[in-house]
Amino acid sequence: MTQTSTFSELRLDGVSRQFAGTDALKDLDLTIRAGEFIALLGPSGCGKSTALNCLAGLLPLTGGSIWQDEKRIDTLPPERRGFGMVFQNYALFPHMTVRSNIAFGLQMRRLPKQEVAQRTDEAIRLVQLEEHAGKLPGQLSGGQQQRVAIARAVVLEPSLVLMDEPLSNLDAKLRLEMRTEIRRLHQSLGLTTVYVTHDQEEALSMADRLVVLRKGKVQQIGTPEDLHTRPANWHVADFMGFRNLVELTVSGADGDLVVVEDKGLKLAATPVEPLSTGDAVVVAVRPEDLVVRTGAGGHSSPSSSVDAVVEVVEYQGRELAVEVRTREGQRLHVRTGERLAPGDAVTLDVDPVRLLAFPRGDEPLAGRATLGADAEPRDKDVAPALSGSGPS
Ligand code: ATP
């Protein structure tokens, strides 16, 4: 079973959806190339399911259009778009065996019995459920049920597979295994996939390109590397694991860098957009990019160092997750292989290339929510930063 996409690109042109006059999705422009794996990323309420449902035809658009090459498709009903869907809750027929669940769509298309049997067998083999083909969904684990759901979608050789948080009901270990499995299927079958998730790690590890949404609007579209190294604004940085966010002020320039200061800090940072002296900025740095120096150190760039005292140490295998506090009360998250203990005095060095300065914008850091309209608890790696709040 190999899928050859029936299109070379799928174009979303200003796709918008309102509910009772409120924008759930606003002006989404995106071109998906055949064979791409696209992740729609953002926390609860940011509009990712709305985007997926507009694409699937389950929700009519209130603005914009969707094109498959030269053919407009947003006016077609879901069944005429030829897309496969995989949902979080599997949506399997409980009274039918694994084999019957997978064969069902082919039978509905009235394909010859022999073809149905052959394609079903192949799909069962692809998702490695040969031993379970005669069981009912209720006799399977969550991961196995999700494999059935995936097989049921891909057996129809869809031109596009849409997945809405397909792994969110699985435990952490299984999620990791299924990530690899979905990516393997995507590649080996030559699928085009649009995958919705609120988990940045999942999106970064699986997708060719990510679309980050916030309050229904696109914040950034880019490769995992683009998003990881160059988030477009501090909201994206916050969501992509830059756990240290601090509001500072630009006090000058230093070549391509800016000098930012306040709260007892004075640092050289990389401006993400042109900045001028006096501008309010949010600087962002990942915990692993704050390098711990214990004892007296010969560091050549004192403007990019911070003195602090260790407060909390969490054991995380080879590394420690450490929370430190500066004399002025700024708390920072550090990830280090150094064996630190509470009370230790440390100096943190930061390479200005890793310290990004963003214009603060209209929304102050204090009291910020997550990227979406509704705050939700996030994974520990992207937990709200203890930032910008000064002494408490
Ligand atoms: P989640 O991860 O929780 O599914 P999401 O990012 O997929 O969130 P959407 O479900 O697309 O978010 O919702 C976007 C916004 O639209 C939210 O503010 C939501 O409350 C609103 N919304 C979604 N569906 C409806 C509806 N049927 N009626 C009214 N408002 C809706």
Side-chain angles (χ1 to χ4, degrees):
M1 188 164 46
T2 45
Q3 330 261 313
T4 38
S5 269
T6 51
F7 61 88
S8 60
E9 63 178 38
L10 191 86
R11 201 171 75 251
L12 286 78
D13 200 354
V15 169
S16 304
R17 171 71 206 194
Q18 291 190 333
F19 291 107
T22 305
D23 292 322
L25 184 68
K26 182 112 176 88
D27 292 334
L28 172 59
D29 292 327
L30 173 69
T31 300
I32 301 166
R33 295 182 285 271
E36 263 196 307
F37 194 121
I38 299 278
L40 301 182
L41 177 67
S44 189
C46 71
K48 41 193 199 304
S49 297
T50 301
L52 202 76
N53 290 333
C54 286
L55 205 43
L58 301 173
L59 263 184
L61 314 188
T62 48
S65 52
I66 305 176
W67 300 80
Q68 200 166 302
D69 295 328
E70 299 314 313
K71 184 171 143 203
R72 183 164 180 178
I73 62 158
D74 58 279
T75 45
L76 299 178
E79 63 280 6
R80 292 200 39 216
R81 298 191 191 189
F83 299 164
M85 297 238 14
V86 179
F87 298 97
Q88 168 177 346
N89 58 4
Y90 323 134
L92 301 175
F93 297 116
H95 60 289
M96 282 165 42
T97 63
V98 166
R99 174 182 295 284
S100 307
N101 263 285
I102 296 172
F104 183 77
L106 297 171
Q107 286 161 345
M108 293 301 285
R109 290 189 181 177
R110 302 189 187 286
L111 294 176
K113 264 196 179 147
Q114 202 189 342
E115 187 180 345
V116 172
Q118 188 207 329
R119 282 170 67 174
T120 305
D121 282 345
E122 204 180 334
I124 290 172
R125 192 173 46 73
L126 267 174
V127 295
Q128 296 161 5
L129 283 174
E130 293 96 324
E131 285 172 33
H132 306 283
K135 292 186 182 167
L136 296 173
Q139 296 171 296
L140 302 178
S141 71
Q144 289 163 342
Q145 290 185 55
Q146 196 52 290
R147 284 199 192 119
V148 179
I150 292 167
R152 194 184 48 177
V154 300
V155 78
L156 297 173
E157 303 186 355
S159 58
L160 182 70
V161 180
L162 306 173
M163 299 197 182
D164 195 353
E165 306 244 12
L167 307 185
S168 57
N169 286 336
L170 307 180
D171 67 43
K173 182 166 177 287
L174 207 50
R175 284 175 77 120
L176 283 181
E177 287 172 17
M178 288 295 292
R179 264 192 211 175
T180 316
E181 184 138 344
I182 290 174
R183 184 69 217 187
R184 177 178 66 78
L185 280 172
H186 168 85
Q187 275 168 220
S188 60
L189 294 177
L191 300 174
T192 309
T193 306
V194 178
Y195 186 102
V196 159
T197 180
H198 65 269
D199 181 334
Q200 45 102 359
E201 256 186 53
E202 200 168 282
L204 285 171
S205 67
M206 296 174 88
D208 298 314
R209 283 191 303 150
L210 292 83
V211 179
V212 184
L213 291 166
R214 173 173 186 259
K215 296 183 179 173
K217 294 199 191 108
V218 170
Q219 302 293 297
Q220 190 167 6
I221 299 178
T223 63
E225 196 181 354
D226 291 338
L227 271 99
H228 194 264
T229 53
R230 274 303 172 109
N233 59 45
W234 65 259
H235 300 285
V236 178
D238 186 17
F239 197 61
M240 299 309 296
F242 286 73
R243 288 188 70 195
N244 298 299
L245 298 176
V246 188
E247 269 186 66
L248 298 172
T249 305
V250 177
S251 61
D254 179 1
D256 292 340
L257 305 175
V258 283
V259 180
V260 289
E261 56 185 298
D262 204 354
K263 304 188 173 89
L265 301 171
K266 184 172 181 186
L267 303 162
T270 302
V272 172
E273 289 175 33
L275 293 168
S276 312
T277 300
D279 283 354
V281 292
V282 172
V283 297
V285 63
R286 295 176 178 280
E288 58 271 30
D289 291 329
L290 289 173
V291 180
V292 173
R293 182 162 33 121
T294 45
H299 194 265
S300 56
S301 175
S303 65
S304 291
S305 296
V306 179
D307 292 324
V309 174
V310 173
E311 289 209 322
V312 183
V313 175
E314 258 179 58
Y315 176 77
Q316 292 187 347
R318 262 184 227 164
E319 295 199 316
L320 299 177
V322 179
E323 192 180 297
V324 304
R325 191 188 277 258
T326 65
R327 193 155 13 123
E328 286 75 15
Q330 177 65 49
R331 278 185 271 173
L332 296 167
H333 296 278
V334 183
R335 231 182 138 75
T336 178
E338 298 279 340
R339 301 284 105 175
L340 297 176
D344 285 353
V346 289
T347 300
L348 306 172
D349 290 329
V350 53
D351 181 343
V353 169
R354 307 271 180 203
L355 188 71
L356 304 181
F358 299 95
R360 193 194 73 177
D362 297 334
E363 291 172 70
L365 198 50
R368 76 190 187 277
T370 59
L371 278 169
D374 307 313
E376 69 172 358
R378 294 177 297 170
D379 292 348
K380 68 178 175 8
D381 286 337
V382 287
L386 299 162
S387 54
S389 49
S392 56

